[in-house]
Amino acid sequence: MNLSREGWLEALGLTEEEVPPLVILEGTWWHRTRYPLRLAALTDVRELKFPDLYWGRYRGIPVLFCVAYGAARAVEPVHALGSVGSRAVIQIGSCGGIQPGLISGDIMLPESAVIGEGASQYYGGAGVAHATPELVEAAERALRARDLTVHRGLHLTTSALFAQPPERVEGWREAGYLTVDMETSAVFTAAKYFGMKTASLVFVWDELSRGRSFLDSYSAEEEARQARANEAIFEVALELLELL
């Protein structure tokens, strides 16, 4: 779509004053539960003209929230909101831990994300995409202040959730990837294209190094760690507004 900035504002149903400095995307299947949970933190919430894009205010500042599963969907809000001047996009959600030292309920802050999805190429991406260091550092401070376990380093984004046989996971481990998801590299790439700051705050759910997926049973303690991490990543994403 080749729209002007004014065309995008009209398409979204936003005024100049309503352009949100921050876009938060969540990669998850469970949109029916996530929207009520996340939007409860905002005021003046409304759905924009594009479906599943929700505008609201956090402490009086406009914010856009969208559940966007997979790279192809995730770049759409980045494209639309980047076109009207949003200054940052934060990816949240869950990921798979590849290295043995990452356990369910830990939080990963990718500094770089290897592009294993198909959307980044259309925004000039190739090889590896990168987060904005100041956002990663601020997120780490805020998460550690909550006594959460945080990792930083090399991440992988893929487009095939179920195509993760043991031999492929072992290859990822040997390559040094800490974690894997389905959105982060595309969000980083599209954000760079539109001159936006960006970071990804994802909590470890699958322990791929141990052959455990989200389909496996987790203990009550593990589920509590997952829930605490899942709550914290959204809280911290909102707090990053202070840097914008």
Side-chain angles (χ1 to χ4, degrees), residues 105 203 222-232:
F203 77 91
E222 288 173 322
E223 290 181 349
R225 293 187 83 246
Q226 293 167 359
R228 184 172 176 227
N230 193 24
E231 180 180 10

Side-chain angles (χ1 to χ4, degrees), residues 6-24:
E6 292 71 23
W8 278 111
L9 286 170
E10 172 62 25
L12 291 164
L14 288 172
T15 66
E16 289 278 358
E17 295 73 22
E18 292 175 333
V19 172
L22 176 64
V23 176
I24 301 176

Side-chain angles (χ1 to χ4, degrees), residues 1-243:
M1 298 177 68
N2 189 25
L3 298 179
S4 65
R5 183 172 186 273
E6 292 71 23
W8 278 111
L9 286 170
E10 172 62 25
L12 291 164
L14 288 172
T15 66
E16 289 278 358
E17 295 73 22
E18 292 175 333
V19 172
L22 176 64
V23 176
I24 301 176
L25 306 179
E26 183 162 8
T28 180
W29 281 350
W30 289 277
H31 63 280
R32 291 183 181 177
T33 57
R34 286 298 186 269
Y35 276 117
L37 179 67
R38 304 310 194 191
L39 296 178
L42 307 179
T43 59
D44 303 327
V45 174
R46 75 175 193 269
E47 188 175 20
L48 300 185
K49 288 183 179 180
F50 282 15
D52 294 331
L53 300 188
Y54 285 88
W55 182 96
R57 295 183 187 276
Y58 179 71
R59 298 178 179 173
I61 302 173
V63 174
L64 189 288
F65 175 75
C66 176
V67 171
Y69 178 73
R73 173 59 174 145
V75 297
E76 293 173 355
V78 183
H79 190 125
L81 277 299
S83 295
V84 299
S86 291
R87 298 196 293 272
V89 55
I90 307 297
Q91 176 69 42
I92 64 172
S94 62
C95 65
I98 297 172
Q99 300 295 334
L102 284 88
I103 64 174
S104 198
D106 287 359
I107 295 175
M108 174 64 176
L109 303 177
E111 295 173 305
S112 300
V114 174
I115 298 170
E117 35 75 22
S120 285
Q121 62 182 310
Y122 298 102
Y123 295 94
V128 180
H130 304 282
T132 303
E134 67 184 88
L135 294 185
V136 175
E137 292 164 6
E140 181 177 18
R141 289 194 299 269
L143 291 164
R144 290 194 184 280
R146 289 168 165 80
D147 293 323
L148 293 164
T149 301
V150 181
H151 305 268
R152 289 170 55 170
L154 186 60
H155 176 84
L156 168 69
T157 297
T158 176
S159 289
L161 176 63
F162 297 142
Q164 298 179 5
E167 61 272 17
R168 180 166 294 153
V169 173
E170 178 61 18
W172 292 345
R173 186 193 66 76
E174 291 177 352
Y177 308 149
L178 274 66
T179 45
V180 58
D181 81 340
M182 297 183 66
E183 297 87 17
T184 291
S185 67
V187 171
F188 285 1
T189 301
K192 180 181 179 181
Y193 183 88
F194 288 100
M196 304 167 74
K197 295 181 178 181
T198 189
S200 178
L201 289 62
V202 286
F203 77 91
V204 177
W205 190 342
D206 305 0
E207 294 180 344
L208 299 179
S209 64
R210 299 172 59 191
R212 300 178 79 194
S213 78
F214 64 91
L215 296 175
D216 289 293
S217 296
Y218 289 83
S219 69
E221 180 180 356
E222 288 173 322
E223 290 181 349
R225 293 187 83 246
Q226 293 167 359
R228 184 172 176 227
N230 193 24
E231 180 180 10
I233 56 177
F234 184 67
E235 293 175 349
V236 172
L238 288 171
E239 290 176 9
L240 293 177
L241 266 170
E242 297 178 1
L243 298 182

